[in-house]
């Protein structure tokens, strides 16, 4: 018989501050549809995506993540941050953790454990849980969780319009100002090949339709375990945030949950209220892999249909391969004054559109792998950039 899972922590631990960062360039998917000879509605309506973030050569997961984290540290300081977890599936080194580069850029204390965590898009959720467990075990400590990814598929493949990039940073503490995590979770793990990226490839390999079926079936597996652990039903959640490889999947997910619960098919107004507010940002950035579900949370909190104070949000995290978790949290009273809403909106509004040719040039731009010295021209971006590579070593600098 399976046991229900409750995280061994006090209930009042969670996300104290959360901030995201996206690259400053963007490709409109109508441009891509035109070049690929596809009806633009397939992208906008069929998969629910409008634009994809484009990463210039002087940005990588380290700069995206450090750029996301800096506003948090400027507001909350660096004291007692004892753990820095970096969740990613776009690693830049097989040995050294990306968190160590960020540790230096962000001026974190030497008494801070730094790790990189991997399980496809699921790693940030696992990191958040591990960070919360550390905070529970060491009262007064805080942890920083970074999630950053650059989603790449082969040019002209079905996955191409779902590409994206971005980073989320979360400060985890006791008495959080933004979201207290509920202790219950529902997990599901299975060894499958739905999406993967062997070490010799820059682009992911994917069985797209199979991955979507697995996403939806693991949602129900994880939900059932969460429900058994928490005793909660759908109506106990004011909103839902799903992992968003493309936003249409959120509608499919909620409909699947309703079917599994024997609830009536949701009305369009219900979907608009419960699901849609969490989708706005992802429609504009594309898949941000590990950061997705937390980008969805930012989207919901930055522009909610009604005040969220004291409301419970259901969260579903899926990582191909595969690992799924359904969990939840309660948005804290007064949280709005601790959000980075203006900074998030400003980044989305200020992006520079690229042409198809520029997109393809950037896509094919190869960072030298022979150890030759390389200097990156400065592009628009956040406070940190990748300046160059020398003797196989990446050199980062403040802008
Ligand atoms: P596809 O196979 O080219 O698309 O790519 P399709 O033919 O299935 O069409 C998609 C939808 O558009 C369909 O709607 C069509 O009817 C509709 P549905 O039947 O699904 O409701 N459509 C139109 N709608 C309006 N006007 C039109 C039109 N034409 C068609 N003219 C696929 C879709 C998702 C497979 C592809 O984008 C892909 O391979 N993506 C990458 C993999 C992926 O995103 N998988 C999702 C689950 S796995 C996951 O989430 C993990 C991941 O994030 C990685 C990780 O964990 O690390 C990916």
């Amino acid at each position: 018989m399976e046991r229900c899972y409750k995280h061994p922590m006090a209930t009042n631990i969670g996300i104290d501050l959360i901030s995201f960062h996206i690259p400053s360039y963007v490709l409109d998917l109508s441009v891509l549809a035109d070049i690929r000879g596809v009806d633009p509605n397939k992208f906008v309506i069929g998969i629910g995506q409008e634009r994809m973030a484009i990463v210039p050569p002087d940005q990588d997961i380290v700069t995206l993540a450090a750029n996301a984290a800096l506003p948090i540290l400027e507001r909350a300081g660096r004291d007692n941050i004892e753990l820095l977890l970096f969740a990613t599936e776009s690693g830049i080194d097989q040995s050294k953790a990306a968190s160590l580069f960020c540790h230096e850029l962000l001026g974190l204390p030497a008494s801070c454990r730094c790790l990189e965590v991997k399980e496809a898009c699921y790693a940030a959720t696992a990191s958040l849980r591990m960070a919360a467990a550390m905070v529970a075990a060491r009262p007064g400590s805080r942890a920083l969780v970074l999630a950053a990814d650059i989603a790449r598929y082969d040019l002209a493949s079905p996955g191409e319009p779902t590409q994206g990039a971005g980073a989320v940073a979360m400060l985890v503490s006791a008495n959080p100002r933004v979201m207290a995590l509920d202790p219950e979770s529902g997990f599901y793990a299975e060894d499958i090949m739905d999406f993967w990226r062997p070490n010799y490839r820059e682009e992911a390999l994917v069985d797209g339709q199979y991955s979507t079926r697995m996403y939806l079936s693991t949602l129900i597996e994880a939900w059932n375990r969460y429900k058994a652990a928490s005793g909660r039903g759908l109506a106990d959640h004011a909103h839902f945030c799903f992992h968003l490889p493309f936003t249409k999947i959120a509608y499919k997910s909620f409909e699947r949950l309703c079917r599994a619960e024997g609830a009536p098919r949701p009305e369009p107004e219900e979907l608009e209220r419960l699901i849609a507010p969490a989708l706005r940002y992802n429609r504009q950035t594309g898949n941000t892999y590990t950061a997705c579900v937390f980008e969805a949370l930012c989207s919901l909190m930055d522009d909610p249909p009604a005040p969220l104070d004291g409301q419970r949000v259901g969260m579903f995290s899926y990582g191909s391969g595969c690992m799924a978790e359904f969990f939840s949290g309660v948005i804290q009273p007064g949280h709005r004054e601790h959000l980075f809403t203006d900074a998030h909106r400003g980044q989305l509004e200020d992006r520079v559109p690229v042409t198809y040719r520029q997109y393809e040039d950037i896509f094919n731009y190869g960072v030298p792998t022979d150890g030759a010295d390389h200097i990156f021209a400065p592009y628009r971006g956040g406070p940190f950039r990748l300046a160059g590579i020398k003797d196989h070593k990446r050199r980062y600098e403040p802008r």
Side-chain angles (χ1 to χ4, degrees):
M1 182 172 143
E2 283 193 327
R3 289 174 53 215
C4 297
Y5 195 84
K6 273 193 192 254
H7 290 273
M9 62 184 210
T11 45
N12 208 21
I13 293 176
I15 303 170
D16 188 45
L17 293 174
I18 179 168
S19 145
F20 87 76
H21 183 84
I22 50 169
S24 304
Y25 298 86
V26 63
L27 178 70
D28 200 303
L29 290 186
S30 62
V31 174
L32 189 65
D34 192 35
I35 294 284
R36 299 285 178 247
V38 172
D39 178 350
N41 281 337
K42 176 171 179 184
F43 297 161
V44 177
I45 300 168
I47 59 170
Q49 295 304 117
E50 287 173 29
R51 297 187 178 82
M52 66 163 82
I54 301 292
V55 188
D58 71 340
Q59 295 283 317
D60 64 9
I61 52 158
V62 167
T63 62
L64 291 173
N67 289 334
L70 190 62
I72 288 182
L73 299 179
E74 285 173 346
R75 195 180 287 179
R78 292 158 175 81
D79 293 348
N80 302 334
I81 296 184
E82 297 187 2
L83 181 65
L84 174 57
L85 295 176
F86 197 124
T88 188
E89 55 181 300
S90 319
I92 52 162
D93 195 286
Q94 292 283 28
S95 297
K96 179 169 172 171
S99 48
L100 282 159
F101 292 106
C102 290
H103 178 270
E104 170 68 18
L105 290 174
L106 295 169
L108 287 164
S111 56
C112 174
R113 272 184 286 182
C114 294
L115 295 179
E116 190 169 306
V117 181
K118 180 170 73 180
E119 184 354 64
C121 300
Y122 171 67
T125 298
S127 300
L128 178 61
R129 286 304 196 180
M130 289 192 279
M134 185 211 64
V135 171
R138 290 183 54 78
S141 68
R142 301 188 295 172
L144 189 59
V145 172
L146 307 177
D149 270 303
I150 300 170
R152 282 171 67 94
Y153 296 93
D154 286 327
L155 291 175
S157 68
E160 185 185 34
T162 69
Q163 291 176 131
V168 165
M170 293 178 277
L171 188 63
V172 180
S173 74
N175 305 316
R177 287 172 282 184
V178 172
M179 179 191 251
L181 291 169
D182 289 320
E184 305 88 0
S185 272
F187 300 117
Y188 182 79
E190 187 180 340
D191 177 10
I192 61 167
M193 296 301 279
D194 61 332
F195 164 109
W196 67 106
R197 185 166 70 82
N199 287 346
Y200 48 82
R201 280 184 65 96
E202 290 288 318
E203 289 77 41
L205 296 166
V206 62
D207 184 341
Q209 302 294 348
Y210 174 54
S211 70
T212 304
R213 285 198 303 278
M214 287 308 296
Y215 174 114
L216 293 171
S217 66
T218 64
L219 164 65
I220 303 306
E221 295 279 355
W223 164 259
N224 284 338
R225 289 173 173 83
Y226 165 80
K227 197 173 80 167
S230 67
R232 293 185 199 108
L234 292 179
D236 294 309
H237 305 83
H239 296 277
F240 293 86
C241 293
F242 296 96
H243 168 57
L244 294 173
F246 50 93
T247 63
K248 174 89 168 282
I249 206 161
Y251 294 101
K252 288 176 188 267
S253 296
F254 192 65
E255 284 176 13
R256 188 65 78 89
L257 277 176
C258 289
R259 210 161 60 228
E261 288 298 289
R265 195 185 162 89
E267 297 293 331
E269 309 78 56
E270 195 183 357
L271 290 170
E272 271 315 292
R273 184 171 45 83
L274 293 174
I275 308 299
L279 310 183
R280 295 189 189 110
Y281 287 171
N282 191 278
R283 277 178 85 86
Q284 306 297 325
T285 63
N287 194 346
T288 53
Y289 287 166
T290 50
C292 261
V293 67
F294 301 104
E295 181 184 358
L297 180 63
C298 290
S299 177
L300 167 65
M301 292 191 299
D302 284 349
D303 195 7
L308 292 172
D309 304 65
Q311 301 285 327
R312 174 167 283 111
V313 178
M315 314 268 292
F316 177 62
S317 182
Y318 177 79
S320 283
C322 69
M323 185 67 224
E325 179 169 344
F326 197 101
F327 63 106
S328 60
V330 176
I331 307 288
Q332 296 300 284
H335 69 284
R336 274 201 76 78
E337 60 191 270
H338 304 296
L339 301 179
F340 293 91
T341 304
D342 290 345
H344 295 165
R345 286 187 185 146
Q347 289 180 63
L348 283 158
E349 282 159 15
D350 291 348
R351 293 186 295 175
V352 177
V354 299
T355 63
Y356 176 79
R357 178 57 51 207
Q358 289 169 322
Y359 153 66
E360 204 181 287
D361 285 350
I362 289 176
F363 186 94
N364 289 324
Y365 182 89
V367 171
T369 52
D370 59 358
D373 291 358
H374 192 74
I375 291 172
F376 293 98
Y379 290 77
R380 283 167 55 109
F384 299 111
R385 66 181 290 270
L386 175 62
I389 297 177
K390 191 167 168 43
D391 302 332
H392 299 280
K393 296 169 192 161
R394 287 183 182 234
R395 290 190 302 108
Y396 296 97
E397 65 181 18
R399 200 173 287 278

